[in-house]
Structures are given as C-alpha cells and as structure tokens.
Amino acid sequence: MAAVTARQGWARVGGLVWNARGAALLLIGLLIYGRLADPFGLFIVASALVLSLLALSVDLQWGYAGILNLGPAAYLGLGAYTYAITQRKITAGSPTYLAFALAILFGIVLAVIVAFPAFKARTLPVYYALITLAVALILQRWTAVSYDLTGGSNGLVGIPLPDFSLPGLDLKMTTAEQFFPLASGVVVAAYLACLWLTRSRFGRLLAAIRDDEEKVATLGYDVATTKLIVAAIAGALGALAGALYAPLAGTAHPSLFGIAFSVQTYVWVAVGGQGTLIGPILAAIALKLLENRLRGVSADGYLMLLAAVFMLVVIFLPKGIAGLFDAQAVRDRFRRSRGGPIALAPVLERPLDEPHG
Amino acid sequence: MGHLAMMFAAVNTGLLLKQLFNATSAVSLLALVAIGLFIIFGMMKVINMAHGELFMLGAYTMWWLLARGINFWLNLLAAALVVGLFGVIVERLIVQRLYVRGDLSTLLATFGLSILLQRGVAIAFGDRPQFVTSPFTGGPTLLGNTYPTYQIIATVLAFAVIAAVVVLFLKTDFGLRARATIVNPAMAAALAVNTVRMNALSFALGSALAGFAGALAAPLVSVVPAMGLDWVIRAFLVVIVAGAGSIWAAAGGAAIVGGWEAGFTAIYDATYAQITVLAIVWALVLLRPRGLFSGTGRRWRR
Amino acid sequence: MADPGVVLRTAGLSRHFGGVRAVDSVDLEVRAGHIHCIIGPNGAGKSTLFNVISGMIPATAGRVVFQEETITGKSPQAISRLGLVRSFQTPRVFAAMTVLDHVLLASRERPENGARRREALARVGLLERGDMLAGDLAHGEKKRLELAMALAMRPRLILLDEPTAGMNAHESEAIAGIVREAASTATVVVIEHDIDFVRGIADWVTVLHKGMVLREGTIAEIEQDQEVRRVYLGDIG
C-alpha cells in the first residue's frame, strides 16, 4: 500500500491541477479584465459573477443530481433581504459577517424545508419543480406586502457594502469597484468547491442518483438525504449570491424572487452546459455583457430572446451549447467507434478521487 | 339593543353569503384552468408550464376582438378556438419532440415558452392593464350586497363547461380512451389507442379550456401579460393536491385550493391565504405524495 | 422458533395489486449457505416477492425476518445495509460511469484501497473492463456488473433476479460458477427460468405458482413432482 501512495499522491495532485485549470484560466481572465475595464464594465461583470453563484447552485442540482428547482431566485431574494435587513436592524455600521452567515443559514433552512417532503416522500420530480416555483413567487408576493420588514414593493435602498473588518484590521469596502475582486474570489472559490464536490465519491453518488434512484437505494444509500444535502448546498450558494447581490446593486426589491431571475439562471446553465460548472459561469459573464448592450433597446425583447434561446437549447441541444464542443463527448464517440476494451485513460483525465486523505 | 343585534346578524349573513358566492366564483374559474392543465398532465404526464400564458392569451383574444366590436359571446368561443389551435402548434413543435425523452425537458421548454409568450404580449400590447367591459352592468341585490350579473353568469358558464368536459370523459369514445390512457398508458397503447392522436387532442382540449377560462375571466380581472402566472401557480397546486388519478380529482383539488384561498382571503389576507395553501400542499406532499385522490399507492417512476 | 440455520424467513407474506394477488401468503425459509432457487412460470410472483423482501414495494400483509430481525417496512437502503442485497433482472447500471466506479459506489471503499472492488470485479471476471463505461458493456457483462456490485457490498444474503436472462448456454455456465463461488461467502436466493442452470446450482428449490408456494424440495424431488410438471408444461404449452 505504502509503495503506491507516493506515485498516486503525485498523480492526484496533478489531477487536481488539471481539473482546476478552468479555475486558473478564469482567475487570470478576471485579473486581466480587472486591470483593463472601466468601472461600469467592472460592475456588470461583478454582478454576472455574483449571479453565476446562483447558476452554480442550479447546475449542482440539475446538472449533477437531476433535481429541478424552478425557483432558484427564491434564494437570491432571501439572501439579499437577509443581508439588507440584518445590516439595517441588527448590525448597522458593524462588519457584515453576521449578515452573510444568516443569509447562508436561511438559504439552507429554506432549501431543506421545501425539499424535505418532496424527497422523503419520493414524490414526482415534477411536483418538486412546481413547488419550488410556487415558493419563489409566493415569497415575492409576501415581500411586496410586508412593508414593515421589507419596505414592500418599493424594496430597500441604501444597502451598505460588505465590511470584513476585524479588530485592528480595516477591511471595509468603500467603493463598488472593490466588489470586482471580491466577487471574482468568491466565484473561483465556489467553483473549486463545487468541482471538488462533484469529482468526489459524493459526486459519483449524485450522478448515480440522477440515473437510477431506486438502484442506488438498493446499494444501501439514503437517496433522500443525499438529495437534501445537495438542495441545502444549493440553497447556501443561492443565498450567498443574494447576500452579495444586494450590496452590489445597493437595493433589494421583490423582483429578486421573480421568475425573470430564475429563467435567466436556467438560460445560463443551459447555454453554458449543465454538468460543467465552468460553463454557466462563462455564460453568465457573456450573456450579462450582451444584456447590457441589448437592455437599452428593449428589456422585454432581451428576456424574450433568452427564453427563445433557452427553448431551442432544451429542444435541440440537451447538453447545452457547450455540449457541442465537449472534448470528452468527442473522445467518447471515438472510443465507442473503436469498441472493445480501452486502455487505461491517462491518469490526468481520470476523475479526481479525493484531493486529500 | 335587540334591534341592533338583529341588524348585525343580518349584515353578517349577507356578508357570508357574498363571500360564499365569491369563493364559488373563484373555484369555478380555477377548476376550469386546472382541468385543462390536468387533462394534459393526466394523459401525457407532462406539465405545461405555459398553461397560464394560454389563459392570458385567451383574455387578450377577448380584449382584442372586443375592441374591434365583435360580440362578447362569440369572442368566448373564438378565444377557446384560437388558443386551442395554438396548443396544437405547441404540441407539434415542442411537446411531441421532447415527450419521447421521458425526462423533464418538456417542463423546461414550456417554462421558456411561458416567458416568451408573456414578454411577447408585453411588447405587442404593453405591460399596462387592459380592461374588458362585461356585457352586463349591475346585478341583483341580496341582504345588502350586490351580486354582479356577469360574475353569476361566468360562474354558471364555468361549471357548465366543466360538466361538459366530465360528460365528454364519461360518455364518449374519446373519453373512454382518455381515461384508459390516464390510468394506464401502456395498456391503452396495447389496446390500440392512438396515443399520438390522443396526446394532440388532449393538448388541444386543455389549451382551449385555458383560453376559454381566460376570456371568461377577462372582465373580472385586470388583463396584463403576467396575469397567467397567478392562476397557473394555483392550478399547479391543485394538480399536486389532487394527483393525476381521475377527472374528478382536479375538480376536488380546485375546490380545496380555491375554496380555502377565498375563505382565508375573506377572513384575513390574500397573501397569507396563498402561504397557507402552500403549507397545506407541503403537508400533503409529505402525507400523500401521489395526491389526495390518487386512490391506490401506485408507484410512479417519473 | 429461532432456527440458527435460517437466514431469511417470510411469514404469510402477501402483496396485492388491486384484486391481483401477486404474492399470496408466502412462507419461505432460506438456510444459511444455501443456494436457494425460486422457480415458477411467468407471472408466478417471483420478482414481486424480491421487490417486497428488498423493501422496494411494501407488503400488503405478512412479514420478512432477516437474521432474527423483522425487516418488513424498512427502506431498501436500510435492508441492503443489513447485508441483504439484490440484483435486477434487467441490468440497472449507470451508463456514464466506469465499471470501477460502480463497484466503488457499492463497496463504499475509499478510492485508494481498491482491494474490495478489485476482488468483486475479479470474482465476476470483469477486472480488465474496469475503466470502461458501463453503457459500453455487452449485455452479459452488464449482468456480471450487477453481480459485482452485489458482491462488493459484502452481503450476507444475495437475491439474484434471473442472473442468466438473455445469455447463451456458455455464458450461463460461467454465471453458475460465479454464483457457486459467491455462495462460499453468502447465502444466495436465485430466481431462474433456466432449469438446467437451476439443476447445476440449487441446494433447495421453491416453486411459486400464482403467488403461492406450490412445492419445496431438492431439485430431484421437484423435477419428479407431477403437479410441478403440470404447471410448467401448462405454461410452456
């Protein structure tokens, strides 16, 4: 056993680096962009990055576990309002740690509450999709009428920027441009975390559940709990997106729960390619920049365009536009055409087992 | 004192009656929307996310034709026809392609379609509310409350159409095949039911019902591009509550969801009414994951 | 009552679908270390019996006792964790996952200790297919992979639903070897149609007919039974 560990260890490090190449390229790209772009461009890309966390949450659920949550915006809104209200009523003028922590906590709690009956009672997947959509819309409606807490349909304005100050260390954000590096860092970290998760044994379990839940149960796994964990992680990611989006935009309003944000997220995941993680992030940046060009022309037109693209992708490219260029798929096709057993794939292309241990 | 108490009691009875009427009216329209959704779901196990937008298209058809001076009652039929035809196109172009995949892509594609239609109408006619004047004004007064004639007629019409659909399902050849398909699609296919044609027909029927409901409701609500969302969400909850067991289930589910919501709204508040409905649905999913009227614990795969 | 030699016992186990009694008051005793075959014509309720025992569908009545523990009403995952695992008639593999990943999932091993999964793959003769995607395997290989997943869980009892379905005589022979070898570490209950296969492996045979136990005995006794012959010939003819 000991004899193999050194070689396997290095192979695993190599594998990690190879798998993380997307993150490295993304980070380099963002660093360069951060140097070149004007403040407004930085703002646009920062909001794309923040919202791409929501896309990551959808990709984890839909792309990896086959769970369809049609109301991801519920978590965006929840995170945004939690951040805004906490910072207003509890920790005004103080560092924003509590606001972020509460947002993530509430995201997890909401996700578990919503998903619990659907997964535990093994209801139709369609029902879960409908319930999640209903939850988002009813939260939107409730936010719009709860004036005392949420400011009603006017929303909340003047939401303070994040402040990560520690005793003796001033880390208070003062300008919106400073958001860009924060958003970049969070997204790259979230991407790496999701990558690790999906390449781990847990990720393999998710893929198996997506294929055949019943079979996985006969292998001794608790399918419902596994799906709940995924929903909870997604809830945390979505709420984090909201908690970052509120201070970036400076406002929180009921439409954050709205269907437009949910659809937009699905479009990013579908266009970027579900089950790729990096795809939805890139799609978020690209489409957000495009939106910025088109929104001036017609906001409705832009949304229509998104919806049309989404439909076309779902109908004609079930693996997303990125699926067209998927190198792995090409390799698979090649393998299949040769047939028979294949040689051991190069170790770098093998899925990562566990980065440590 | 006694006189005052009597008056108070009279007012309360009147109020109660009025609220009962409003609840019945709401349930009838909701049942109409839900039955359309249900037929498609029951037959094909497909949820048409754009069902609410079909309802909206029905309302806009009514508004558009009415503005061109065409008779209100004709417009009701026209709306059903136009939206029914539209449903056929949707079935041909989208649903039929994805149906064979057996996954949730129909849900996603119609989700996209719903936004496309909603924003399309917003571009064409604007987001501002359009008003459809009802062919009647006023109505009978009972115990101090006025009951608008149109609302009465719309409620009766909605129930009549629901009854017609039930008769269609129970008495006709189409209904027999449809019920067979709902209960056991594999068996129905084995008995040479032409599922492709049945699917197209049921999609057309479900869409036509949504269009009719939209046109019928148009004078009672404000006609805006996003109007369908509110209705379809409730119709979704009806389907979850009821399950896909029988045509009666949809009506029963609509009575529960619509009745509860109307009652709770009258007592307290509309938003909290929806929240409580959601809570009920949440509990029902836990206790009866296949729906309240699902009968046997038949297992579903997808 | 508690017979130490009995691993699995069902008492009055029934499963009705509407008016159809797919499994009707079945009393079954499976002895430790046996290869216990369950035969019967199509529709006799064999697969339903497995589905009920493994917790995939609830019993209408009766109970299942596995190693002195009542497992009726437990979830499939709880039952399989107790060491009662099953395979499916139509192989249910995850098309996009490699063969190795399948046994890894089943064995719950840490990826770096491959002993258990290699062993499981070796036992079914799939060791050199480890890096292939399960979707690319031939039908017979998928059936073997089903077996390997069951073995990788180190079960006390394995329920095999028609392990030779769709195989030729030569492949069946190989499967018989695997099943015999599996019986060295676990008790095996096999549903099988192929009577030659049953003859080669069975320590004990139960004949199901219309959801009920028709006969029990050694294969020699069963083969001479007039009632069984009548049921089978009726089925064939």
Side-chain angles (χ1 to χ4, degrees):
Chain A
M1 210 53 117
V4 278
T5 44
R7 229 185 73 207
Q8 282 193 339
W10 281 114
R12 200 167 296 133
V13 170
L16 181 65
V17 170
W18 179 248
N19 270 300
R21 68 199 185 278
L25 288 176
L26 179 66
L27 198 59
I28 292 167
L30 289 172
L31 283 173
I32 294 170
Y33 188 81
R35 291 269 162 235
L36 299 178
D38 57 294
F40 188 68
L42 287 180
F43 171 78
I44 293 295
V45 175
S47 55
L49 286 170
V50 165
L51 292 172
S52 75
L53 292 172
L54 199 59
L56 277 181
S57 87
V58 166
D59 197 18
L60 267 187
Q61 295 178 93
W62 177 33
Y64 287 91
I67 304 167
L68 211 53
N69 177 338
L70 284 186
Y75 300 92
L76 184 72
L78 182 71
Y81 274 98
T82 306
Y83 178 94
I85 293 167
T86 308
Q87 211 47 26
R88 211 165 240 254
K89 306 218 158 161
I90 305 175
T91 50
S94 315
T96 46
Y97 288 108
L98 183 70
F100 280 110
L102 280 182
I104 290 170
L105 179 70
F106 288 172
I108 292 171
V109 170
L110 179 68
V112 171
I113 289 176
V114 171
F116 181 81
F119 294 167
K120 280 290 177 192
R122 308 220 307 120
T123 189
L124 292 179
V126 171
Y127 288 1
Y128 179 66
L130 297 182
I131 290 175
T132 48
L133 181 67
V135 165
L137 293 171
I138 289 171
L139 275 174
Q140 178 179 20
R141 180 177 257 236
W142 178 79
T143 312
V145 298
S146 304
Y147 293 94
D148 296 340
L149 191 63
T150 64
S153 47
N154 298 327
L156 297 170
V157 291
I159 295 167
L161 287 165
D163 176 359
F164 297 108
S165 295
L166 294 165
L169 184 65
D170 182 23
L171 287 172
K172 188 169 167 47
M173 217 178 253
T174 48
T175 65
E177 284 98 83
Q178 289 167 326
F179 228 102
F180 182 79
L182 173 69
S184 306
V186 170
V187 167
V188 170
Y191 167 70
L192 284 174
C194 290
L195 191 70
W196 172 77
L197 189 76
T198 54
R199 298 289 193 272
S200 70
R201 280 190 292 169
F202 186 76
R204 226 160 312 177
L205 181 58
L206 293 186
I209 285 175
R210 185 184 51 195
D211 271 13
D212 188 344
E213 279 187 19
E214 221 167 41
K215 173 75 188 179
V216 173
T218 66
L219 295 176
Y221 289 95
D222 189 335
V223 172
T225 306
T226 310
K227 285 164 78 177
L228 268 182
I229 292 171
V230 176
I233 294 169
L237 266 177
L240 177 62
L244 288 166
Y245 192 72
L248 176 64
T251 63
H253 43 89
S255 69
L256 288 176
F257 292 97
I259 207 159
F261 276 106
S262 289
V263 170
Q264 172 178 272
T265 308
Y266 267 91
V267 172
W268 290 349
V269 177
V271 168
Q274 64 265 43
T276 63
L277 297 177
I278 194 85
I281 300 175
L282 297 177
I285 297 170
L287 289 177
K288 196 81 190 163
L289 288 168
L290 179 72
E291 174 194 358
N292 191 44
R293 296 238 176 265
L294 294 182
R295 227 178 221 286
V297 184
S298 161
D300 281 336
Y302 174 71
L303 208 50
M304 252 183 100
L305 185 72
L306 280 192
V309 168
F310 181 58
M311 279 173 63
L312 292 176
V313 170
V314 169
I315 295 171
F316 296 108
L317 304 167
K319 285 185 162 184
I321 287 176
L324 282 177
F325 315 104
D326 187 354
Q328 186 67 44
V330 173
R331 269 201 297 277
D332 286 350
R333 237 169 279 149
F334 180 60
R335 273 183 199 175
R336 224 155 281 184
S337 67
R338 279 196 308 173
I342 47 140
L344 271 173
V347 70
L348 291 184
E349 286 181 21
R350 298 254 315 278
L352 264 191
D353 285 330
E354 303 229 323
H356 53 71
Chain B
M1 245 357 222
H3 183 69
L4 202 69
M6 259 176 66
M7 217 178 84
F8 191 63
V11 166
N12 254 352
T13 317
L15 202 67
L16 202 70
L17 209 63
K18 171 84 180 172
Q19 273 159 2
L20 206 64
F21 169 71
N22 281 337
T24 312
S25 164
V27 167
S28 69
L29 282 171
L30 179 59
L32 207 52
V33 178
I35 277 184
L37 189 71
F38 168 85
I39 290 171
I40 296 167
F41 179 57
M43 297 282 292
M44 309 166 76
K45 302 291 171 288
V46 161
I47 285 285
N48 177 17
M49 296 294 291
H51 197 72
E53 276 59 43
L54 299 179
F55 176 86
M56 179 269 292
L57 285 183
Y60 270 89
T61 307
M62 167 61 83
W63 165 76
W64 196 83
L65 290 176
L66 208 60
R68 270 138 202 85
I70 301 175
N71 179 278
F72 185 89
W73 307 105
L74 274 179
N75 294 348
L76 279 181
L77 290 180
L81 211 64
V82 167
V83 178
L85 278 175
F86 186 76
V88 171
I89 296 170
V90 170
E91 206 269 340
R92 270 286 145 80
L93 289 185
I94 301 170
V95 179
Q96 220 173 64
R97 284 169 193 278
L98 303 180
Y99 187 54
V100 285
R101 279 191 212 159
D103 55 12
L104 295 167
S105 25
T106 34
L107 194 77
L108 288 168
T110 50
F111 188 43
L113 178 68
S114 76
I115 303 299
L116 189 74
L117 290 176
Q118 198 192 98
R119 289 303 104 197
V121 169
I123 289 173
F125 304 116
D127 256 319
R128 70 185 177 281
Q130 312 289 356
F131 292 97
V132 171
T133 41
S134 90
F136 300 99
T137 49
T141 302
L142 188 68
L143 292 172
N145 288 299
T146 305
Y147 293 81
T149 310
Y150 180 72
Q151 204 180 347
I152 297 172
I153 288 178
T155 306
V156 172
L157 258 181
F159 279 128
V161 170
I162 291 167
V165 172
V166 170
V167 169
L168 182 75
F169 266 75
L170 295 184
K171 298 286 178 201
T172 67
D173 197 39
F174 167 82
L176 182 68
R177 284 154 200 261
R179 280 182 292 145
T181 312
I182 288 173
V183 174
N184 191 338
M187 185 73 89
L191 295 174
V193 172
N194 183 344
T195 34
V196 172
R197 206 171 122 244
M198 287 300 292
N199 285 346
L201 275 174
S202 54
F203 214 92
L205 177 62
S207 307
L209 285 171
F212 181 80
L216 195 63
L220 302 171
V221 297
S222 60
V223 177
V224 290
M227 69 188 284
L229 205 56
D230 217 30
W231 286 87
V232 81
I233 286 291
R234 288 187 289 161
F236 289 159
L237 297 181
V238 169
V239 169
I240 297 175
V241 165
S246 77
I247 190 85
W248 300 107
I256 293 173
V257 170
W260 176 274
E261 207 183 322
F264 203 93
T265 305
I267 297 165
Y268 190 61
D269 169 83
T271 306
Y272 286 91
Q274 287 203 332
I275 292 174
T276 51
V277 168
L278 195 62
I280 292 169
V281 169
W282 184 89
L284 273 179
V285 166
L286 196 58
L287 301 173
R288 294 294 305 250
R290 311 287 178 250
L292 202 53
F293 309 111
S294 57
T296 61
R298 204 158 71 87
R299 292 153 56 74
W300 297 76
R301 282 279 151 70
R302 278 206 179 260
Chain C
M1 188 80 177
D3 181 341
V6 175
V7 181
L8 180 79
R9 188 156 49 82
T10 70
L13 195 65
S14 302
R15 172 68 208 193
H16 303 167
F17 294 104
V20 182
R21 299 177 167 194
V23 174
D24 194 4
S25 194
V26 167
D27 299 317
L28 199 69
E29 282 196 347
V30 178
R31 299 193 156 266
H34 266 184
I35 297 178
H36 188 139
C37 289
I38 296 178
I39 62 172
N42 280 323
K46 305 182 297 287
S47 287
T48 307
L49 181 66
F50 269 19
N51 284 340
V52 175
I53 293 175
S54 61
M56 293 179 62
I57 56 178
T60 311
R63 61 195 196 114
V64 184
V65 180
F66 174 59
Q67 294 179 341
E68 311 293 313
E69 190 177 345
T70 302
I71 58 169
T72 340
K74 281 197 194 309
S75 65
Q77 64 264 27
I79 289 170
S80 81
R81 278 194 202 165
L82 290 171
L84 197 172
V85 312
R86 68 165 297 172
S87 76
F88 291 91
Q89 186 184 338
T90 334
R92 286 166 80 164
V93 297
F94 311 108
M97 270 166 57
T98 66
V99 169
L100 215 55
D101 280 345
H102 279 74
V103 273
L104 184 68
L105 197 68
S107 71
R108 293 164 176 266
E109 271 180 319
R110 295 193 76 75
E112 55 272 18
N113 331 318
R116 230 163 117 177
R117 64 191 143 129
R118 269 197 299 277
E119 180 206 309
L121 283 181
R123 284 170 85 177
V124 303
L126 278 181
L127 199 50
E128 70 277 20
R129 292 281 194 268
D131 288 297
M132 228 168 128
L133 295 179
D136 294 346
L137 293 174
H139 172 78
E141 291 173 324
K142 285 182 186 161
K143 298 278 296 183
R144 284 166 187 244
L145 181 54
E146 276 267 346
L147 261 169
M149 277 195 276
L151 291 173
M153 294 167 73
R154 298 251 164 116
R156 307 293 295 270
L157 177 73
I158 313 177
L159 307 176
L160 298 177
D161 195 347
E162 295 198 29
T164 68
M167 289 187 176
N168 60 35
H170 180 68
E171 286 174 314
S172 290
E173 191 46 51
I175 295 286
I178 295 168
V179 172
R180 266 194 296 266
E181 195 270 334
S184 64
T185 55
T187 308
V188 185
V189 182
V190 189
I191 291 176
E192 200 38 80
H193 264 304
D194 179 352
I195 205 74
D196 289 333
F197 179 79
V198 173
R199 205 175 285 129
I201 59 166
D203 294 311
W204 196 253
V205 179
T206 299
V207 186
L208 278 190
H209 181 51
K210 294 185 175 167
M212 289 186 282
V213 176
L214 183 73
R215 284 289 182 279
E216 274 192 286
T218 63
I219 182 70
E221 290 164 3
I222 294 296
E223 283 194 292
Q224 270 150 32
D225 192 285
Q226 288 305 312
E227 186 71 9
V228 173
R229 285 171 164 250
R230 193 185 60 75
V231 165
Y232 258 90
L233 289 176
D235 181 52
I236 294 161

